[in-house]
Amino acid sequence: MLHHSLSPLLELSMSEQLHTPLQDAFVQPVRDVDDLRLAEAMLDTNCTMAIDTETTGLDYHDEIRLIQFGTARGAFVFDPDEFPSLFDELMQRLTSGGVWIMHNAPFDSLHLANKWNVDVDRVMQHVTDTQILSHLIDPREKIDGGIGHGLKQLCATYVDTNSPDGQQALKQRFKQLGFNLNEGFAKVPIWDETFVMYAGLDVILTARLFPILKEQIKDSFAHLVEFEHQVQRISTGMTQRGMTVDVSYTAMLLHDLQEEKEQAERSAARLGVANVNSTAQVAEALQIRGVQLTEKTPSGNWKVDKKVLEDLEDDELAQSVLGAKGASKAMSSWVQPILDHGLLDGTVHPRIRTLAARTSRMSIANPPLQQLPSNDHRIRTCLTASAGKTLVACDFKQIEFRVLAALANEQTMINAIINGEDLHDTTAARLFGSDFTSQHRKIAKSVGFGVVYGGGKDTLARQAGVSTLDAEKAIASFERNFPRVQRWKRSLIDKCTHGEPLVILPTGREIPLERKYGYRSVNYMVQGLAAEIFKGSLVELHNAGLGDHLLVPVHDEIISEVEETDAEEFAQTLIKTMSGELQSVPIDADAEVIGRSWGDAYLMKETINV
């Protein structure tokens, strides 16, 4: 129901008030003193309000152009540089209490916090993110049969099938003005009617979406709402804190990679490949050199992907193509973005998505630090601890397999964990005997991951470098030696294939899946619970007063920094805080004092392997 004190706002007939496609809703640009007073009156109502920003772009350092706030019935849009008093009043209200709604809260909160020069946690502490609510209700993207988590997608389902698509209207407007989408947000006139309407509609739609999603949250996982908001605040704090960039080293590495790329391209050209990105050229040149290609893509072309080329370790052309493409990817995906950030404030600020996957696993973008190559220390060396500090890494020991052992109650695995054994060694010994080789261990490890991630004999054969028959035998041996894992796995798959196609984690989180893909339920259960444990450890670290030391989460590892003199003690604190039990299975963490550069640990591993 509309708050009575908002009624006069709807009865106004000011010339600049924009009438929206939504019934009984207005968008009001704040352009003069009268508009300012009305906006302040809206704030005085203390209603549940949505808030949003329009920025010059999507990067961390891009600037705010407009801020909009309002309810399901109306939104005010203003330029914070033109009306700083309104911005200050809005931020005072936002950080003091009440109920505030955002869609994709980390993005807007970071820009608001940086504009107001405060820690982002202050901005987010009273915010509910409708994107989190939507993910808890249905974590699937639209392509996977879900609704998706975009504002337009959600509103078309929950609010009104005819909800206006402001994004599409804005694209058309940018095109009229001669701008592409990337430059349009920075160059469109700030008071362009389409731009302002788009800004205001996002607030109104978010405000209308919120109570509907809130009603959809089941009691069985209502506690996850607060949990995910805690994790989101901690992770957004990491983005704002950032990680120090060694700018001079990064610039030098960029130059070196460019030279490597050009040299590899010259080598490939000499061997018959003018364009290393042309799979047809690469396949033809390899065949001329006598290489027997065995796999084809769905379109019928010869497969010459990274795995195929890596297996041709003695072929000069294959290695030249790999080198050129690897250097190019390193430059564009990581080194150049890190340098761009570093040149602005000496720090990289990666965006951390806390609900990136259906299983609720996290991911990192801008730049994607989770995808850094593990066999090349040079890119991580771009990132360092702050002056006088050292980096410390802490991760879980074989978390997926410990979760699997707990869920299946597989006593052989549990005993091995309790006794401090390496699970891959235990598996290899069970499969191949106590005198197993390193190749046997590799196969055993691949079989275990195959169970977790749903890989079959063909995948195992390719990953372990063995025949399909040997892979099939290894899988059969695994099933015989760990019967409870097989029974648990089969029971879960049968339930999702023939019963309700839904994975329910012990925490209550629900992960729907398509019935024909019931085999994926094992992966969803194991990966989902492992993600819950990792996120829970972030909350524990934050609650223990260690939050300000956390820099970036990478898979099941947290990178942090601390004063050099406190590093060893801090590492032990991380281990103690992150370790625990899942049922009767120990969940152990391991910490390492890395040093000044993130690459130091990887350089050491590369040296040992050599």
Side-chain angles (χ1 to χ4, degrees):
M1 181 177 293
L2 179 66
H3 195 286
H4 67 86
S5 59
L6 292 184
S7 298
L9 297 177
L10 295 179
E11 296 169 0
L12 295 172
S13 57
M14 294 177 294
S15 59
E16 289 203 31
Q17 190 176 89
L18 305 180
H19 296 284
T20 74
L22 298 171
Q23 185 179 6
D24 296 331
F26 69 88
V27 172
Q28 175 63 57
V30 178
R31 302 304 308 278
D32 56 32
V33 174
D34 290 334
D35 300 334
L36 175 62
R37 288 172 179 166
L38 289 168
E40 291 172 338
M42 170 78 84
L43 288 176
D44 285 339
T45 61
N46 293 319
C47 291
T48 296
M49 286 196 205
I51 185 169
D52 188 32
T53 64
E54 301 304 327
T55 59
T56 55
L58 301 177
D59 289 341
Y60 177 84
H61 291 286
D62 285 329
E63 297 179 355
I64 291 177
R65 298 194 75 195
L66 293 172
I67 298 175
Q68 43 277 358
F69 66 92
T71 68
R73 301 294 298 278
F76 284 88
V77 183
F78 73 101
D79 177 354
D81 293 327
E82 186 177 356
F83 291 99
S85 64
L86 180 58
F87 173 61
D88 188 65
E89 179 64 21
L90 175 65
M91 296 303 292
Q92 292 285 356
R93 299 295 182 98
L94 174 61
T95 56
S96 296
V99 180
W100 295 85
I101 315 301
M102 294 182 187
H103 191 78
N104 188 18
F107 181 86
D108 299 297
S109 296
L110 281 166
H111 288 289
L112 290 169
N114 291 342
K115 180 77 174 175
W116 211 41
N117 195 29
V118 297
D119 288 342
V120 72
D121 187 67
R122 280 193 63 191
V123 175
M124 300 183 74
Q125 58 186 328
H126 304 298
V127 170
T128 297
D129 190 341
T130 45
Q131 205 165 64
I132 286 180
L133 301 184
S134 72
H135 199 283
L136 289 173
I137 294 167
D138 187 346
R140 296 173 298 173
E141 296 294 340
K142 193 169 185 179
I143 194 173
D144 299 319
I147 296 169
H149 307 107
L151 184 59
K152 169 59 180 173
Q153 296 167 326
L154 292 165
C155 288
T157 298
Y158 291 113
V159 178
D160 184 345
T161 55
N162 297 314
S163 293
D165 189 349
Q167 181 85 7
Q168 189 59 38
L170 204 53
K171 286 181 182 178
Q172 294 173 359
R173 180 57 177 154
F174 288 168
K175 188 175 181 180
Q176 290 174 356
L177 295 171
F179 307 137
N180 61 39
L181 186 61
N182 291 332
E183 64 186 3
F185 284 96
K187 294 184 177 181
V188 64
I190 194 168
W191 294 114
D192 179 273
E193 184 171 316
T194 303
F195 186 46
V196 175
M197 177 70 78
Y198 162 81
L201 280 173
D202 273 3
V203 163
I204 296 169
L205 289 172
T206 300
R208 294 186 178 196
L209 178 64
F210 167 63
I212 299 172
L213 294 183
K214 188 177 179 183
E215 185 68 23
Q216 294 277 328
I217 297 293
K218 295 182 180 180
D219 291 341
S220 58
F221 53 77
H223 62 286
L224 292 172
V225 174
E226 174 57 27
F227 175 72
E228 286 296 345
H229 280 88
Q230 279 184 290
V231 175
Q232 186 186 71
R233 291 196 298 271
I234 293 167
S235 299
T236 308
M238 291 188 220
T239 295
Q240 187 181 47
R241 195 172 303 119
M243 197 167 182
T244 303
V245 176
D246 184 334
V247 174
S248 60
Y249 170 85
T250 306
M252 180 181 67
L253 177 58
L254 190 66
H255 176 268
D256 291 346
L257 287 168
Q258 180 63 37
E259 286 193 342
E260 287 180 21
K261 174 177 176 289
E262 293 173 356
Q263 183 177 346
E265 286 175 339
R266 286 193 297 269
S267 175
R270 178 173 53 81
L271 297 170
V273 176
N275 179 5
V276 296
N277 295 310
S278 170
T279 55
Q281 286 186 31
V282 174
E284 181 181 6
L286 285 172
Q287 288 175 316
I288 290 173
R289 293 169 62 81
V291 174
Q292 298 294 317
L293 299 176
T294 59
E295 294 185 73
K296 288 192 174 184
T297 65
S299 60
N301 298 317
W302 288 111
K303 182 181 286 188
V304 285
D305 58 13
K306 183 179 179 181
K307 181 67 173 65
V308 171
L309 296 176
E310 284 178 340
D311 287 343
L312 301 172
E313 56 186 359
D314 295 326
D315 187 276
E316 184 182 0
L317 174 58
Q319 296 309 305
S320 295
V321 172
L322 275 177
K325 295 176 77 170
S328 180
K329 178 174 177 59
M331 287 190 293
S332 62
S333 296
W334 302 301
V335 182
Q336 186 66 63
I338 289 172
L339 182 59
D340 290 344
H341 277 249
L343 289 172
L344 289 171
D345 68 352
T347 308
V348 66
H349 302 272
R351 299 279 185 177
I352 302 169
R353 290 183 60 199
T354 56
L355 289 168
R358 188 186 308 205
T359 57
S360 87
R361 281 195 69 126
M362 306 168 77
S363 73
I364 304 175
N366 302 331
L369 298 183
Q370 278 184 317
Q371 299 171 9
L372 294 177
S374 59
N375 61 349
D376 189 344
H377 72 279
R378 295 179 300 170
I379 301 173
R380 284 182 174 83
T381 302
C382 297
L383 303 173
T384 70
S386 304
K389 296 185 179 181
T390 189
L391 297 177
V392 180
C394 189
D395 66 349
F396 290 115
K397 296 179 181 178
Q398 302 173 328
I399 182 66
E400 291 94 347
F401 292 94
R402 290 170 186 250
V403 168
L404 177 64
L407 291 171
N409 194 27
E410 183 58 72
Q411 201 57 50
T412 301
M413 287 185 173
I414 294 172
N415 290 340
I417 294 167
I418 292 174
N419 292 332
E421 299 173 21
D422 181 292
L423 275 179
H424 302 315
D425 287 349
T426 300
T427 303
R430 299 282 292 195
L431 269 57
F432 304 107
S434 58
D435 58 344
F436 65 87
T437 66
S438 59
Q439 177 65 11
H440 287 149
R441 186 183 187 280
K442 181 179 180 181
I443 295 172
K445 183 176 180 180
S446 296
V447 172
F449 277 116
V451 171
V452 173
Y453 294 107
K457 59 183 180 182
D458 293 333
T459 302
L460 172 59
R462 186 169 60 252
Q463 290 178 344
V466 298
S467 69
T468 304
L469 179 60
D470 285 342
E472 194 170 15
K473 289 180 178 178
I475 292 172
S477 179
F478 184 94
E479 293 174 353
R480 287 194 305 272
N481 280 278
F482 302 108
R484 289 190 178 184
V485 169
Q486 182 62 13
R487 286 199 296 270
W488 172 80
K489 175 183 171 182
R490 178 48 52 198
S491 174
L492 182 61
I493 292 174
D494 285 347
K495 171 187 172 297
C496 292
T497 302
H498 305 295
E500 185 178 10
L502 183 70
V503 173
I504 303 176
L505 300 187
T507 58
R509 190 186 301 271
E510 296 183 355
I511 308 175
L513 73 165
E514 297 70 37
R515 198 180 302 278
K516 62 180 178 180
Y517 297 130
Y519 65 90
R520 294 178 179 172
S521 58
V522 174
N523 169 244
Y524 291 168
M525 178 68 82
V526 174
Q527 190 182 102
L529 189 51
E532 302 270 46
I533 292 170
F534 180 69
K535 288 181 176 182
S537 72
L538 294 182
V539 173
E540 290 293 323
L541 291 171
H542 179 80
N543 292 343
L546 307 178
D548 289 345
H549 297 281
L550 308 182
L551 298 180
V552 60
V554 184
H555 301 301
D556 300 318
E557 179 180 44
I558 182 69
I559 308 298
S560 54
E561 68 176 12
V562 68
E563 297 291 337
E564 294 178 4
T565 53
D566 300 330
E568 292 295 342
E569 181 180 352
F570 181 77
Q572 293 305 311
T573 302
L574 289 177
I575 292 172
K576 182 178 179 180
T577 305
M578 291 180 64
S579 297
E581 276 194 350
L582 177 61
Q583 296 173 20
S584 61
V585 179
I587 302 297
D588 295 330
D590 196 11
E592 174 186 15
V593 178
I594 297 176
R596 177 93 172 103
S597 160
W598 191 8
D600 289 349
Y602 289 80
L603 175 60
M604 186 181 302
K605 291 174 185 176
E606 290 169 28
T607 303
I608 292 173
N609 290 335
V610 170

